[in-house]
């Protein structure tokens, strides 16, 4: 009887290891639940936020999630350096700047395989777009850095930044580090009536500058010389600006009104116009540009005649007194 029990226990021990091996083979491999961080990369994002696939180029400062299937030692969350590199275990510094998610994953898989670190690595690279915000500056109520809005549209971003100020111009400048030196200019309607014609997508890392409306300067013999905003209409004319300046003062040489306009190369072009004919619609009303200087010349002859008339009026009582005394 005792011998039979010993034989049964021995048989059970022989059968138990294959069962364990079968169970281990059937158990699915787990995706690493935690990623390491690259030294010196300043990675702080948690593994819970896995980011998303990016069709656009990966840019410096973005947080990338590298996930190697069933290889937690090769998975990490790190920040892209200013030079576009990430620190990677064993591989060292790997340049992924300018690549999209798929291209970066293919590059890392190729490196792991070529160095005989893995036979057939399955790599995914995602970008945490919520970490890299969009900078909004200029004529908005709340300038700052904001996460990309849901639809990634410029109008949505401006709404998040508190909307436009009363001094908003009609041009928005967009730049980013993906294309250094390039500036995109978007025509914009501050009244928000025609935004569907100009709205466009914005991306993480973009810098949006809402420019103020232009200023024109009126000097010389204007009723109220000064600097005047061109926010009133898309194309303000000389007559509109002169109306803001109170019109032409007396004793002006209206035919000698000058518009001084700066050129892109720094030179200035001077155009002579007759403001009186413009105000009376006898000639075309020119468009005033940003930073234009409008100068209305005084008339020396009219000033002399006015001075002589004033002098004559001032001595008239004395002449009357003298004539009456005789």
């Amino acid at each position: 009887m005792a011998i039979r029990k010993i034989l049964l226990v021995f048989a059970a021990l022989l059968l138990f290891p294959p069962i364990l091996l079968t169970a281990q083979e059937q158990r699915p491999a787990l995706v690493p639940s935690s990623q390491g961080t690259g030294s010196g990369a300043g990675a702080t994002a948690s593994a819970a936020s896995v980011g998303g696939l990016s069709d656009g180029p990966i840019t410096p400062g973005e947080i990338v999630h590298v996930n190697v299937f069933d290889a937690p030692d090769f998975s990490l969350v790190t920040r892209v350096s200013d030079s576009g590199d990430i620190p990677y275990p064993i591989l060292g510094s790997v340049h992924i700047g300018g690549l999209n998610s798929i291209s970066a994953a293919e590059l890392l898989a190729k490196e792991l395989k070529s160095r005989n670190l893995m036979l057939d690595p399955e790599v995914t690279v995602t970008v945490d777009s919520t970490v890299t915000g969009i900078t909004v500056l200029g004529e908005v109520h709340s300038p700052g850095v904001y996460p990309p809005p849901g639809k990634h549209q410029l109008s949505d971003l401006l709404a998040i930044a508190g909307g436009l100020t009363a001094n908003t111009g009609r041009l928005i400048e967009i730049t980013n580090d993906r294309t250094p030196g390039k500036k995109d200019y978007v025509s914009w309607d501050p009244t928000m009536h025609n935004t569907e014609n100009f709205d466009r997508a914005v991306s993480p890392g973009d810098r949006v500058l809402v420019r103020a409306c232009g200023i024109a300067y009126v000097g010389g013999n204007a009723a109220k010389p000064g600097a005047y905003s061109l926010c009133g209409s898309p194309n303000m004319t000389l007559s509109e600006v002169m109306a803001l300046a109170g019109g032409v003062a007396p004793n002006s040489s209206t035919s000698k009104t000058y518009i001084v306009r700066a050129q892109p190369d720094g030179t200035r072009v001077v155009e002579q116009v007759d403001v009186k004919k413009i105000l009376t619609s006898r000639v075309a009303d020119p468009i005033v540009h940003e930073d234009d200087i409008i100068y209305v010349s005084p008339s020396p002859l009219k000033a002399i005649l006015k001075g002589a008339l004033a002098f004559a009026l001032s001595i008239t009582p004395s002449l009357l007194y003298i004539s009456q005394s005789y």
Side-chain angles (χ1 to χ4, degrees):
M1 189 70 176
I3 295 175
R4 182 179 296 177
K5 290 182 178 180
I6 292 173
L7 291 175
L8 290 174
V9 172
F10 184 75
L13 291 174
L14 291 175
L15 293 174
F16 190 70
I19 295 174
L20 286 177
L21 291 174
T22 304
Q24 289 178 350
E25 291 175 354
Q26 292 176 351
R27 187 177 69 179
L30 297 177
V31 176
S33 60
S34 63
Q35 283 85 6
T37 57
S39 60
T44 58
S46 65
S49 58
V50 296
L53 293 175
S54 172
D55 291 331
I58 297 173
T59 58
E62 289 187 316
I63 297 295
V64 294
H65 301 247
V66 180
N67 194 336
V68 183
F69 180 73
D70 209 17
D73 290 340
F74 292 113
S75 301
L76 77 156
V77 181
T78 187
R79 186 184 298 274
V80 182
S81 70
D82 291 339
S83 58
D85 301 330
I86 60 170
Y88 199 82
I90 301 179
L91 298 182
S93 180
V94 180
H95 185 78
I96 64 170
L99 304 177
N100 60 20
S101 295
I102 296 176
S103 299
E106 291 175 347
L107 173 64
L108 293 173
K110 180 181 177 181
E111 290 293 327
L112 290 172
K113 188 174 182 179
S114 64
R115 300 195 188 188
N116 297 320
L117 297 173
M118 298 186 70
L119 291 177
D120 191 16
E122 297 182 15
V123 183
T124 58
V125 175
T126 57
V127 179
D128 193 348
S129 60
T130 60
V131 177
T132 306
I134 302 175
T135 304
V136 185
L137 301 170
E139 296 300 323
V140 293
H141 288 289
S142 301
V145 181
Y146 295 92
K151 296 180 181 179
H152 284 215
Q153 293 297 305
L154 178 59
S155 57
D156 299 324
L157 180 67
L158 296 177
I160 294 174
L164 306 175
T165 67
N167 199 37
T168 301
R170 297 177 180 271
L171 201 63
I172 295 178
E173 177 184 307
I174 301 177
T175 58
N176 53 59
D177 292 330
R178 298 186 297 274
T179 53
K182 179 183 178 183
K183 296 181 179 180
D184 291 333
Y185 293 99
V186 181
S187 299
W188 198 258
D189 181 5
T191 64
M192 303 296 283
H193 290 159
N194 298 311
T195 55
E196 68 276 2
N197 297 329
F198 312 116
D199 212 357
R200 53 158 286 177
V202 288
S203 304
D206 282 351
R207 288 181 294 275
V208 178
L209 174 62
V210 181
R211 301 179 65 175
C213 54
I215 299 292
Y217 305 89
V218 181
N221 247 35
K224 296 185 293 183
Y228 293 93
S229 170
L230 302 178
C231 294
S233 66
N235 297 302
M236 289 195 70
T237 62
L238 178 62
S239 61
E240 292 173 327
V241 175
M242 290 305 301
L244 294 175
V248 179
N251 306 322
S252 299
S253 179
T254 56
S255 61
K256 295 182 179 180
T257 300
Y258 301 96
I259 301 176
V260 183
R261 180 165 299 158
Q263 301 299 305
D265 59 359
T267 60
R268 292 179 179 271
V269 174
V270 180
E271 178 185 0
Q272 182 176 347
V273 297
D274 191 330
V275 69
K276 184 177 181 179
K277 291 183 178 180
I278 292 172
L279 294 175
T280 54
S281 301
R282 285 186 282 174
V283 295
D285 197 355
I287 301 296
V288 176
H289 295 182
E290 181 178 349
D291 294 329
D292 276 1
I293 300 172
I294 301 166
Y295 182 79
V296 182
S297 300
S299 173
L301 179 59
K302 290 182 180 179
I304 293 172
L305 292 176
K306 182 180 179 181
L309 179 61
F311 175 75
L313 291 176
S314 65
I315 66 173
T316 297
S318 301
L319 294 176
L320 290 175
Y321 175 77
I322 294 173
S323 62
Q324 287 176 358
S325 63
Y326 286 97

